[in-house]
Amino acid sequence: LYMRYELGQLVKSHHDSSIWMVTKVDRENEHYEIEDGIGTCYYSHDEILSPITDKEFFHHLQTKQLTSTRLIKSYLKSQNKS
């Protein structure tokens, strides 16, 4: 089974465009555990998530919608891989 997102990847929810980090990939049940960096966790599926663009990441930073050091570090780490 192919799942689109990796552990530590930042994604956005189609429900509210908020940014989340994938903290668990459960291939058996076909869902992810995602968290917002301030203690809120949810389960989610591929069809309601999408990758964030650099533009979205920086917009969330500038407007202070993204303040979690953990999520920011994860994003920057993933940029180093590419």
Side-chain angles (χ1 to χ4, degrees):
L1 177 73
Y2 177 73
M3 293 177 73
R4 285 185 264 189
Y5 305 106
E6 302 174 11
L7 209 54
Q9 184 174 358
L10 297 192
V11 293
K12 70 178 175 188
S13 165
H14 293 190
H15 293 304
D16 60 4
S17 297
S18 55
I19 293 182
W20 300 83
M21 181 171 72
V22 176
T23 55
K24 184 177 182 181
V25 178
D26 184 342
R27 295 189 191 288
E28 192 175 305
N29 296 307
E30 299 180 32
H31 68 252
Y32 304 95
E33 186 175 293
I34 59 173
E35 81 164 61
D36 63 0
I38 53 171
T40 305
C41 293
Y42 287 108
Y43 291 103
S44 192
H45 299 274
D46 272 330
E47 59 272 2
I48 62 164
L49 298 175
S50 57
I52 64 163
T53 64
D54 290 345
K55 186 177 178 180
E56 289 169 322
F57 175 77
F58 290 113
H59 172 76
H60 275 76
L61 270 182
Q62 289 171 333
T63 57
K64 301 199 181 338
Q65 294 175 65
L66 179 61
T67 57
S68 166
T69 307
R70 185 170 175 211
L71 267 63
I72 294 166
K73 284 181 179 175
S74 184
Y75 183 80
L76 295 174
K77 187 177 173 183
S78 73
Q79 297 307 297
N80 271 343
K81 291 181 189 173
S82 39

